[in-house]
């Protein structure tokens, strides 16, 4: 979980596109006969969650059911599948392993019932198999290597055999087995530098990780050679070149490359939720990093390896109010639009605020990673994924770079248009101060949606806006006085404020020329979802 290094020009304030004049009119122009191709759904491929044990909770399951239905997420990734609170591994008095898959079965069966699959992060270390006492987070995940690699290999093979027996090899061939989480951070791997600096320790950590990777990959492939194994699941796109080279040199499988990226100026990990973070002023933050990693894979010995960003967001800390702010919706859309096909998936971290790395949170809006808060209230970020999911399956050619225009099989059209403006003032103010405050959005003129190639007739126009005080639950909570605990009445008020209510409902008629035009106001970081439905 790290922020990108900023280009010098951006630190100096140069190279950033100028904002359009407030009275400018953007034109969103598309012809139903001009298809760009199938709508890219890589943003739906996977979404993140905190840890496996949280997935046994009724509220977590309720929220995932909703997120799957309304945002289309197909896989889910979480930490802690092998933590002690999942009860997977013990040893008897003779030191013989005792495996227990009951909690994993309960969780995976729930996912199967939803029509989702796990993106399996293989970690952390069961304490009975651990080589040391070092842990991370409130729930004390052990981050040390196995005390006995032979026992670890047998444990992983037994786990993979078990899920194969339960769900079938055809199903498990659709799964992904990711080895560990962020081993380039000592907090997540080995747990101590042994007195060395981070730079001195990096080669030691890599060597130990590659030993874990080789052992784990061999265990997975021993059950079925077609099963997919990958990594290095690093923070900040780290160890990519090293891992590609090591796997090639040692003839190790690498079915996919996974790594993480966050759009902060500095930082890697916030175990206790107390870090002060600053949003990167680089408009290409995350986007350029993803595209760069894809290019490096393409030049490697594994050019066909899939690229999965198994964590990404605006900030790496679970206490950053940018996650709650209306700014996040446009931020998410900008990144996904301009990453495009460079990644096979971008797994947003996370779908829910039910997330306990720093322990249970004490307020309903605390800057948690989630798209949904504790009370199932959708944040503006939630609507970014919901709107994307509601786009038709055929994307149309549209010259505007910050929009999607799609058609569906029934003749309907959907347009998703946003403004992405970086309003953060820079290092003088941390996110924890800036995004907690009220920041009215400045006008950005308007945009005109121009469609052609429509069948003549009456349509229904529905338009929904997300932005400052528009489906903006953080602002509504602030209006209530930012209560630390919510009454039922307050929850009802906030639910109405974030109901995804449409702001325009009209019945336009398209003439024989097949053309349609409408104008919409635009402010900083507004997001518009516009539908033309055939009756």
């Amino acid at each position: 979980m790290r922020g990108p290094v900023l280009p010098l020009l951006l630190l100096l304030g140069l190279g950033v596109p100028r904002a359009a004049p407030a009275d400018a009119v953007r034109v969103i122009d598309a012809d139903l006969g001009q298809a760009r191709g199938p709508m890219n759904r890589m943003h739906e491929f996977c979404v993140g969650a905190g840890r496996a044990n949280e997935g046994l909770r009724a509220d977590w399951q309720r929220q995932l059911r909703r997120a799957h239905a309304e945002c289309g997420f197909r896989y889910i990734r979480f930490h802690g599948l092998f933590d002690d609170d999942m009860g997977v591994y013990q040893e008897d008095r003779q030191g013989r392993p005792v495996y227990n898959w009951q909690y994993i079965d309960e969780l995976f069966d729930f996912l199967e019932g939803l029509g989702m699959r796990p993106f399996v992060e293989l970690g952390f270390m069961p304490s009975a198999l651990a080589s040391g006492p070092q842990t991370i987070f409130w729930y004390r995940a052990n981050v040390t290597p196995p005390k006995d690699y032979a026992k670890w290999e047998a444990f992983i093979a037994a786990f993979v055999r078990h899920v194969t027996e339960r769900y079938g090899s055809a199903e498990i061939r659709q799964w992904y087995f990711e080895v560990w989480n962020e081993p380039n951070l000592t907090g997540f791997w080995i747990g101590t530098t042994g007195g060395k600096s981070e730079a001195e320790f990096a080669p030691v950590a890599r060597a130990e990780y590659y030993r874990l990777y080789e052992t784990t990959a061999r265990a997975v492939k021993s059950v079925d050679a077609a099963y997919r194994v990958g990594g290095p699941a690093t923070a900040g796109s780290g160890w990519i070149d090293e891992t590609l080279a090591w796997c090639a040199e040692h003839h190790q499988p690498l079915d996919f490359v996974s790594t993480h990226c966050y759009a902060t100026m500095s930082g890697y990990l916030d175990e206790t939720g107390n870090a002060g973070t600053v949003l990167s002023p680089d408009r290409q933050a995350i986007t350029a990093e993803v595209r760069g990693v894809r290019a490096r894979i393409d030049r490697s010995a594994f050019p066909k390896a899939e690229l999965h960003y198994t964590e990404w967001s605006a900030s790496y800390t679970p206490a950053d109010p940018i996650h709650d702010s209306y700014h996040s919706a446009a931020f998410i859309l900008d990144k996904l639009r301009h990453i495009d096909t460079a990644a096979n998936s971008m797994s947003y971290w996370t779908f829910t605020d039910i997330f306990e790395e720093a322990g249970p949170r004490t307020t309903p809006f605390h800057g948690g990673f989630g798209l949904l808060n504790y009370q199932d209230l959708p944040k503006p970020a939630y609507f970014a994924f919901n709107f994307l999911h509601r786009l038709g399956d055929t994307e149309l050619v549209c010259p505007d770079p910050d929009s999607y225009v799609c058609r569906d099989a029934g003749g309907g059209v959907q347009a998703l248009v946003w403004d992405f403006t970086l309003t953060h003032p820079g290092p003088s103010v941390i996110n924890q101060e800036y995004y907690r405050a009220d920041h009215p959005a400045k006008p950005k003129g308007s945009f005109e949606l121009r469609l052609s190639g429509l069948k003549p007739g009456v349509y229904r126009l529905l338009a929904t806006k997300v932005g400052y005080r528009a489906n903006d639950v953080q602002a509504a909570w602030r209006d209530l006085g930012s209560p630390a605990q919510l009454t039922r009445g307050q929850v009802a008020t906030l639910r109405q404020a974030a109901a995804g209510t449409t702001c325009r409902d009209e019945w336009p008629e398209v003439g024989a020329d097949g053309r349609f035009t409408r104008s919409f106001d635009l402010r900083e970081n507004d997001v518009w979802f516009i539908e033309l439905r055939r009756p």
Side-chain angles (χ1 to χ4, degrees):
M1 301 180 183
R2 65 184 287 185
V5 178
L6 296 179
L8 178 59
L9 288 179
L10 288 161
L11 284 172
L12 296 175
L14 305 175
V16 179
R18 295 180 180 178
D23 59 351
V25 177
R26 277 172 61 186
V27 175
I28 314 299
D29 195 354
D31 184 334
L32 268 69
Q34 299 291 321
R36 182 174 184 243
M39 175 62 190
N40 180 10
R41 304 274 182 196
M42 66 87 171
H43 49 273
E44 297 181 3
F45 190 88
C46 189
V47 72
R51 80 185 197 275
N53 190 264
E54 292 158 0
L56 300 174
R57 292 170 50 163
D59 51 357
W60 187 99
Q61 294 186 1
R62 181 180 65 244
Q63 290 193 10
L64 184 61
R65 184 178 289 108
R66 177 180 178 180
H68 169 65
E70 297 181 355
C71 300
F73 299 125
R74 288 171 280 158
Y75 288 76
I76 185 166
R77 174 188 179 268
F78 36 73
H79 302 324
L81 188 65
F82 300 149
D83 284 355
D84 286 349
D85 59 13
M86 293 299 286
V88 295
Y89 183 94
Q90 295 294 329
E91 292 185 357
D92 65 17
R93 292 181 179 180
Q94 288 72 43
R96 293 174 299 201
V98 178
Y99 306 141
N100 173 28
W101 313 118
Q102 294 181 88
Y103 283 5
I104 289 180
D105 289 348
E106 185 69 25
L107 177 55
F108 285 3
D109 284 359
F110 169 74
L111 297 179
E112 180 188 44
L114 280 187
M116 294 187 71
R117 294 181 169 117
F119 195 114
V120 183
E121 177 195 308
L122 296 169
F124 292 104
M125 194 60 59
S127 61
L129 189 50
S131 59
Q134 288 82 9
T135 62
I136 193 170
F137 300 140
W138 171 79
Y139 54 84
R140 296 183 179 178
N142 189 287
V143 296
T144 66
K147 65 182 181 183
D148 184 325
Y149 272 90
K151 286 185 175 181
W152 169 262
E153 184 173 349
F155 167 63
I156 296 298
F159 163 68
V160 176
R161 280 195 303 272
H162 173 75
V163 294
T164 300
E165 291 165 358
R166 192 171 186 87
Y167 305 108
S169 59
E171 168 64 18
I172 306 305
R173 286 173 187 159
Q174 305 302 312
W175 292 18
Y176 292 77
F177 294 95
E178 183 184 36
V179 182
W180 212 252
N181 176 74
E182 298 192 347
N184 59 331
L185 302 185
T186 56
F188 280 114
W189 183 232
I190 303 181
T192 175
T193 62
K196 298 181 174 66
S197 69
E198 291 281 349
E200 291 173 324
F201 190 67
V204 177
R206 271 200 306 272
E208 192 70 39
Y209 174 73
Y210 293 149
R211 185 182 180 191
L212 182 80
Y213 185 92
E214 180 176 7
T215 305
T216 305
R218 185 168 58 242
V220 172
K221 298 284 188 178
S222 72
V223 181
D224 190 325
Y227 290 174
R228 290 180 281 207
V229 180
T234 41
S237 302
W239 293 4
I240 300 299
D241 292 336
E242 295 90 339
T243 299
L244 291 164
W246 181 85
C247 287
E249 180 182 354
H250 293 84
H251 306 288
Q252 292 299 309
L254 187 64
D255 300 308
F256 63 92
V257 173
S258 65
T259 189
H260 306 158
C261 188
Y262 293 86
T264 48
M265 287 184 66
S266 61
Y268 298 84
L269 170 66
D270 184 17
E271 179 179 354
T272 59
N274 294 316
T277 44
V278 175
L279 182 70
S280 168
D282 183 358
R283 289 185 64 87
Q284 297 302 311
I286 296 181
T287 308
E289 191 164 328
V290 175
R291 289 182 170 275
V293 169
R294 180 69 260 176
R296 289 149 69 186
I297 295 171
D298 291 344
R299 296 192 299 265
S300 77
F302 301 92
K304 295 182 179 180
E306 296 179 11
L307 173 58
H308 295 278
Y309 269 76
T310 50
E311 290 184 26
W312 81 281
S313 178
S315 172
Y316 60 83
T317 172
D320 192 329
I322 192 173
H323 296 132
D324 302 337
S325 172
Y326 74 89
H327 298 82
S328 274
F331 169 88
I332 289 166
L333 292 172
D334 176 82
K335 302 310 170 190
L336 294 175
R337 181 54 161 157
H338 297 294
I339 289 168
D340 199 24
T341 59
N344 295 83
S345 75
M346 296 292 296
S347 181
Y348 190 79
W349 192 254
T350 59
F351 84 92
T352 177
D353 275 355
I354 301 168
F355 182 96
E356 297 179 341
E357 287 184 354
R361 302 291 83 191
T362 58
T363 59
F365 292 98
H366 51 270
F369 288 119
L371 300 172
L372 295 161
N373 89 327
Y374 281 158
Q375 288 79 25
D376 302 356
L377 297 169
K379 304 177 188 181
Y382 182 87
F383 290 101
F385 288 98
N386 173 249
F387 292 164
L388 285 166
H389 183 57
R390 290 161 64 184
L391 291 170
D393 287 334
T394 300
E395 184 183 351
L396 303 178
V397 173
C398 178
D400 184 86
D402 297 323
S403 62
Y404 292 92
V405 184
C406 296
R407 68 169 192 245
D408 59 35
V413 183
Q414 306 81 32
L416 181 53
V417 183
W418 63 91
D419 170 77
F420 175 50
T421 299
L422 288 164
T423 62
H424 192 287
S428 62
V429 181
I430 60 173
N431 289 1
Q432 284 72 11
E433 296 174 5
Y434 182 79
Y435 292 107
R436 185 173 287 113
D438 185 65
H439 295 288
K442 297 177 182 178
K444 294 294 291 285
S446 63
F447 69 90
E448 190 169 87
L449 178 62
R450 300 177 185 172
L451 301 174
S452 57
L454 290 162
K455 291 183 178 180
V458 176
Y459 288 75
R460 187 179 185 185
L461 168 69
L462 293 168
T464 307
K465 181 166 69 171
V466 171
Y468 178 69
R469 295 191 173 275
N471 290 299
D472 178 5
V473 72
Q474 185 198 45
W477 174 65
R478 196 185 294 118
D479 290 345
L480 294 175
S482 304
Q485 300 293 304
L486 297 176
T487 66
R488 287 181 174 178
Q490 289 171 329
V491 170
T493 297
L494 295 176
R495 184 165 291 119
Q496 182 60 37
T501 306
T502 57
C503 55
R504 290 176 72 167
D505 187 346
E506 305 168 6
W507 292 86
E509 184 169 359
V510 174
D513 63 358
R515 295 184 178 276
F516 168 87
T517 302
R518 280 293 185 281
S519 293
F520 301 84
D521 66 280
L522 193 66
R523 305 169 302 174
E524 291 174 336
N525 295 295
D526 272 352
V527 174
W528 280 92
F529 182 72
I530 304 158
E531 301 175 89
L532 270 184
R533 295 180 182 175
R534 295 278 291 174

